[in-house]
Amino acid sequence: MTPPYGLQGKVAVVTGASRGIGLAVAEAFTAAGARVCLTARDADGLRRAAAGLDAVALAGTVADPAHLRRLTGLAMEAYGRIDVVVNNAATNQPYGPLMDADPDRWREAFAVNVEAPLRLVQYAWRAWLREHGGSVVNICTEGATHVGPGLGAYGTSKAALLHLTQQLAGELAPGVRVNSVSPGLVRTEMARFVWEPADGAPTGLPLGRIGDPEDIARAVTWLASDEARWITGTDLLVDGGTRVRAARSQAPSQPGPRPPITYHLPGA
Ligand SMILES: NC(=O)c1ccc[n+]([C@@H]2O[C@H](COP(=O)([O-])OP(=O)(O)OC[C@H]3O[C@@H](n4cnc5c(N)ncnc54)[C@H](OP(=O)(O)O)[C@@H]3O)[C@@H](O)[C@H]2O)c1
């Protein structure tokens, strides 16, 4: 995929980049002219992802601030700059009713989904962004603004990430733009338990299908690029119409010819 907008000469750090949305972002960024520095926990998966790209990579968990500091150091050492940070790694655990939520797993969810994005931006800020500017894209979720069964810890942490995005956008302007992208259901490992049981069945989504990682990567690339130069503190919903699907019951099933429009002019 070669987007019409570029990231030529830019350097991006992308977390959770060994598969799914993070890998699609790394591929799209590379196609748009950026060099990328990647992380994920599984070293083999990360090596495979980085091998296809002109990328540097460091395996580890984003829950460890020391790992994020080393990751920032690697990007600076390899490329000498960090223009874009994409906070994509996340966990949807602990799954289930909040009354059963294990405190350690709850803390882990917030360490990965909320604290890590802040830490990584702090390190990149000190290393490059404060002096030279750049942009940050946090990967949130369509579900961050409403409640649902089982995903209470995930939803709460992603709602915090939405707030963090806006807070950082205000604090880091005008040099650094900070936005989020909120995907609907995307065909990845993380959401397999949602899409696989109904795979092939009609989705009921206005745009007719669940998302592919590339659908999200296109939006992230645009938002990270200078094409979005006057946008900060925004959440871009990329959900195939999930949020508006209730209106489908009122919609015609097939687009047909429209009735002619009759204008009634005063005095006519
Ligand atoms: N798929 C969806 O339907 C959907 C919907 C809304 C939002 N999202 C969001 O999209 C983002 C990407 O999710 P995805 O669906 O692409 O998931 P995925 O396919 O499971 O990929 C997750 C990536 O993050 C890495 N990762 C997980 N935990 C990590 C940690 N603690 N430290 C470092 N890397 C870690 C994984 O590699 P390792 O396991 O090797 O670490 C993998 O590279 C997440 O922020 C998620 O909340 C997804």
Side-chain angles (χ1 to χ4, degrees):
M1 193 257 300
T2 308
Y5 31 84
L7 291 170
Q8 285 82 7
K10 309 268 190 195
V11 170
V13 177
V14 184
T15 69
S18 62
R19 61 174 188 263
I21 292 168
L23 177 56
V25 167
E27 289 170 344
F29 277 20
T30 304
R35 288 164 297 169
V36 290
C37 174
L38 313 177
T39 194
R41 290 165 302 178
D42 177 57
D44 288 341
L46 187 62
R47 203 174 302 116
R48 278 194 297 276
L53 306 166
D54 183 19
V56 291
L58 187 67
T61 176
V62 297
D64 177 8
H67 173 63
L68 295 176
R69 205 177 318 111
R70 284 193 292 273
L71 186 69
T72 309
L74 173 65
M76 290 302 293
E77 201 178 296
Y79 302 130
R81 56 194 296 152
I82 300 173
D83 305 281
V84 179
V85 172
V86 179
N87 285 303
N88 168 76
T91 177
N92 59 7
Q93 301 299 317
Y95 183 82
L98 289 182
M99 290 308 101
D100 298 338
D102 175 74
D104 288 339
R105 301 191 80 196
W106 172 272
R107 274 191 287 273
E108 171 79 5
F110 274 74
V112 172
N113 297 357
V114 189
E115 188 180 346
L118 173 60
R119 292 276 163 260
L120 185 54
V121 172
Q122 285 178 333
Y123 295 136
W125 168 259
R126 291 166 198 158
W128 181 265
L129 295 173
R130 175 168 45 195
E131 202 172 330
H132 306 279
S135 78
V136 174
V137 181
N138 294 325
I139 308 302
C140 204
T141 175
E142 186 272 332
T145 50
H146 54 86
V147 298
L151 288 165
Y154 178 68
T156 307
S157 66
K158 289 291 192 175
L161 182 61
L162 268 187
H163 190 99
L164 178 71
T165 301
Q166 295 181 27
Q167 183 71 28
L168 285 174
E171 291 191 15
L172 305 191
V176 179
R177 296 183 302 105
V178 186
N179 294 289
S180 56
V181 167
S182 280
L185 182 60
V186 180
R187 192 179 296 276
T188 69
E189 277 308 306
M190 178 182 275
R192 181 178 286 280
F193 75 106
V194 181
W195 58 261
E196 195 169 56
D199 204 15
T203 62
L205 290 176
L207 295 188
R209 61 174 175 83
I210 68 169
D212 292 322
E214 188 185 320
D215 295 319
I216 311 305
R218 284 169 176 261
V220 175
T221 309
W222 175 76
L223 207 42
S225 80
D226 291 341
E227 289 296 301
R229 65 188 182 183
W230 208 52
I231 299 175
T232 197
T234 282
D235 181 54
L236 179 55
L237 193 59
V238 185
D239 72 345
T242 305
R243 189 71 63 79
V244 297
R245 72 181 149 183
R248 291 302 284 167
S249 60
Q250 301 296 320
S253 54
Q254 292 293 327
R258 289 170 186 272
I261 299 169
T262 311
Y263 294 98
H264 294 284
L265 301 175

